[in-house]
Amino acid sequence: MGGSFAIGYLTYLMQGALWTAGLSLIALGFGGILALTVALCRISDMRWLRTITALYIQIVQGTPVLVLIFLSYFGLPSLGWSVSPLFAASASLAIYVSAYLGESWRGSIQSVPKAQWETAECLALSKTQRMTKVILPQAVRIATPPTVGFMVQIIKNTSLASVVGFVELVRAGQIINNTIFQPFLIYLLIALLYFSLCFPLSILSRRLESRAGDKAYA
């Protein structure tokens, strides 16, 4: 027998949406730090470092996020490390983000015109100074549109955290549906909430790409 949908259930869904947004930001924050490290390693002068990083990217990109979450939540305790659902989801999504954004940012860094690299070298700047003062500021402008667009994928992948009991948007919906048994209404609301989170990012990404294109042809 189904129950009626109360306003408290909508509030609970909104709380789940906030946790979805929060988990996405955590994944982007920690994953972004790892991604920058991956990107810099990919363009390193040391061949062995480039090889190891490329292998890391291939392994992570070839592994479903759900498997990464299972490895974190069920695998680490078998090694004696107890982890919470939040940690397992955050760590897994950060690793996922690091591989995809790392490769994307590597492309952005290498797309900076060669003349900029040569000019920075002619100014007698150290390698670190060339990267931080000349190359990376330009690469950030190039990388911003695809990074914003990738946030949509991060938000949608947070739904996989529900399998380990983390109460984000999907898990909140499952809990409510187990109480009132109105799956169509519940999952329609979930879809609308995901849309409200993802659509603005999609629009922002397109506008940023359009502005970048206009500047390129200016």
Side-chain angles (χ1 to χ4, degrees), residues 66-83:
L66 186 59
V67 174
L68 294 176
I69 294 175
F70 282 153
L71 283 173
S72 298
Y73 190 70
F74 298 110
L76 291 180
S78 67
L79 299 176
W81 299 335
S82 180
V83 298

Side-chain angles (χ1 to χ4, degrees), residues 43-133:
I43 61 173
S44 171
D45 294 332
M46 294 177 284
R47 183 176 179 181
W48 65 269
L49 187 56
R50 296 197 306 270
T51 301
I52 291 175
T53 311
L55 180 61
Y56 168 80
I57 291 173
Q58 291 299 318
I59 292 174
V60 175
Q61 290 187 352
T63 304
V65 180
L66 186 59
V67 174
L68 294 176
I69 294 175
F70 282 153
L71 283 173
S72 298
Y73 190 70
F74 298 110
L76 291 180
S78 67
L79 299 176
W81 299 335
S82 180
V83 298
S84 66
L86 175 59
F87 178 86
S90 300
S92 302
L93 287 170
I95 291 172
Y96 163 77
V97 168
S98 71
Y100 281 87
L101 279 188
E103 189 67 0
S104 174
W105 290 356
R106 188 268 312 165
S108 298
I109 292 172
Q110 291 185 325
S111 66
V112 174
K114 186 177 180 180
Q116 296 294 318
W117 296 75
E118 295 173 345
T119 300
E121 189 173 356
C122 289
L123 291 174
L125 299 176
S126 67
K127 188 173 182 179
T128 301
Q129 289 176 324
R130 294 198 298 268
M131 188 60 65
T132 57
K133 297 181 180 297

Side-chain angles (χ1 to χ4, degrees), residues 13-210:
L13 282 178
M14 293 297 293
Q15 291 174 348
L18 288 176
W19 273 112
T20 289
L23 181 58
S24 300
L25 291 175
I26 292 172
L28 182 64
F30 288 98
I33 295 172
L34 292 173
L36 180 59
T37 303
V38 168
L40 294 177
C41 288
R42 287 284 285 123
I43 61 173
S44 171
D45 294 332
M46 294 177 284
R47 183 176 179 181
W48 65 269
L49 187 56
R50 296 197 306 270
T51 301
I52 291 175
T53 311
L55 180 61
Y56 168 80
I57 291 173
Q58 291 299 318
I59 292 174
V60 175
Q61 290 187 352
T63 304
V65 180
L66 186 59
V67 174
L68 294 176
I69 294 175
F70 282 153
L71 283 173
S72 298
Y73 190 70
F74 298 110
L76 291 180
S78 67
L79 299 176
W81 299 335
S82 180
V83 298
S84 66
L86 175 59
F87 178 86
S90 300
S92 302
L93 287 170
I95 291 172
Y96 163 77
V97 168
S98 71
Y100 281 87
L101 279 188
E103 189 67 0
S104 174
W105 290 356
R106 188 268 312 165
S108 298
I109 292 172
Q110 291 185 325
S111 66
V112 174
K114 186 177 180 180
Q116 296 294 318
W117 296 75
E118 295 173 345
T119 300
E121 189 173 356
C122 289
L123 291 174
L125 299 176
S126 67
K127 188 173 182 179
T128 301
Q129 289 176 324
R130 294 198 298 268
M131 188 60 65
T132 57
K133 297 181 180 297
V134 180
I135 305 304
L136 286 182
Q138 297 181 69
V140 166
R141 290 195 293 269
I142 299 171
T144 298
T147 300
V148 173
F150 186 70
M151 274 293 293
V152 174
Q153 299 300 321
I154 300 175
I155 290 173
K156 290 191 289 187
N157 277 319
T158 58
S159 62
L160 297 174
S162 63
V163 300
V164 292
F166 181 73
V167 185
E168 41 64 68
L169 183 52
V170 170
R171 182 59 181 163
Q174 291 173 343
I175 292 172
I176 295 172
N177 186 58
N178 290 339
T179 302
I180 63 175
F181 305 106
Q182 294 188 25
F184 182 80
L185 174 61
I186 296 301
Y187 288 105
L188 177 61
L189 288 172
I190 289 174
L192 290 174
L193 287 171
Y194 270 115
F195 178 79
S196 68
L197 290 171
C198 295
F199 185 69
L201 289 173
S202 298
I203 295 299
L204 178 59
S205 176
R206 290 170 188 166
R207 288 182 177 177
L208 290 172
E209 288 177 355
S210 177

